[in-house]
Amino acid sequence: MPAASTTLRLLAVSVIASLTVTGCQTLDDAGRAIGRSDLVNDLAARLDRALELTYSADYQLPGGQTATMAQAQDPARSAYTWPGGKLTVTPEATTRCQTAAGRATCTLEAPPAPNAKPTVTMFAEAKQRGLVTPPIVVGMLTTAALDPEAVIDQSDTTLAGHHATCVDVEQSAGDFTACVTTDGVLGSFTGQVDGREVELALSRYRETVDGSVFDLPPDAGVVDRRRPASS
């Protein structure tokens, strides 16, 4: 979903344009002192670059449940799977699936236009079910960075064997902690999203993708809402 790259860059630019570096500083991976705006921009840039990668990432959710984010290139495809649902974005369709009583029902809609910006509403169902996607995290980071009352602290950790930079945000809109790996993959998130407590943590990362992750669930009912091609 390369169009997401444009959105994340615009978000990062808006942060840099609107913030001034305060006395609060931290260290980047190279050990250089960086300010608050630089930190947010660095994390946004990491998430941006990751959109050009091929990878699969598994996440642990509360209650022993799991979720997966996967993407591949040439052609660009993305898949997000969570308990009871799935979203795939391919050149052929944007597909949303829901599972009830052991059977999936999938709705196919037109794919995003080439180079179109992704909309946050595209990820609404995933967000409601506890899967926070990178565009959502970048938006929350940007909002926090533009809040002069927000307190943003940095720390480092290791998730699924990968180094990650974390930001702990305290703000009136709701506190949250987000971690991003050096490769730009969302490492973990804990906090409130639309009034709902959300928590996930990276449990496995692979630089390959099984092509079947973009397929419809077996025996799924299909509703095709794509406009037929004109003759």
Side-chain angles (χ1 to χ4, degrees):
M1 201 161 49
S5 178
T6 301
T7 297
L8 298 187
R9 287 194 184 97
L10 290 175
L11 288 170
V13 168
S14 69
V15 172
I16 293 300
S18 303
L19 290 177
T20 57
V21 178
T22 66
C24 179
Q25 292 186 321
T26 184
L27 297 178
D28 67 3
D29 292 333
R32 298 170 299 182
I34 59 176
R36 181 186 185 204
S37 60
D38 294 317
L39 174 60
V40 173
N41 186 58
D42 177 63
L43 295 184
R46 290 189 198 182
L47 290 167
D48 184 16
R49 290 192 300 269
L51 293 169
E52 301 174 359
L53 300 177
T54 292
Y55 73 87
S56 301
D58 297 334
Y59 293 88
Q60 188 69 44
L61 304 179
Q65 296 182 313
T66 60
T68 300
M69 300 185 198
Q71 61 183 45
Q73 313 298 325
D74 301 321
R77 296 169 292 167
S78 300
Y80 304 86
T81 306
W82 59 90
K86 181 176 183 179
L87 167 69
T88 60
V89 183
T90 71
E92 293 73 38
T94 297
T95 305
R96 295 175 174 83
C97 300
Q98 293 185 352
T99 301
R103 186 170 186 268
T105 301
C106 299
T107 302
L108 280 62
E109 298 176 343
N115 300 319
K117 299 177 183 178
T119 61
V120 172
T121 56
M122 180 181 293
F123 305 101
E125 178 63 22
K127 184 172 60 172
Q128 292 171 4
R129 300 301 293 269
L131 181 60
V132 180
T133 56
I136 299 295
V137 174
V138 172
M140 294 181 69
L141 285 169
T142 303
T143 298
L146 295 174
D147 180 359
E149 302 300 322
V151 177
I152 304 177
D153 293 322
Q154 184 265 349
S155 61
D156 294 279
T157 190
T158 299
L159 294 160
H162 294 265
H163 175 265
T165 300
C166 305
V167 285
D168 185 48
V169 177
E170 297 181 12
Q171 59 178 354
S172 58
D175 302 344
F176 68 91
T177 299
C179 299
V180 180
T181 71
T182 302
D183 291 331
V185 176
L186 180 62
S188 67
F189 180 92
T190 303
Q192 284 201 348
V193 179
D194 295 341
R196 176 190 178 94
E197 196 67 28
V198 174
E199 180 179 352
L200 60 80
L202 182 67
S203 58
R204 186 184 181 198
Y205 175 79
R206 304 170 299 286
E207 295 181 348
T208 59
V209 174
D210 184 339
S212 64
V213 74
F214 305 108
D215 296 339
L216 297 179
D219 302 321
V222 177
V223 178
D224 194 342
R225 294 181 177 172
R226 293 173 295 181
R227 181 176 300 176
S230 57
S231 57

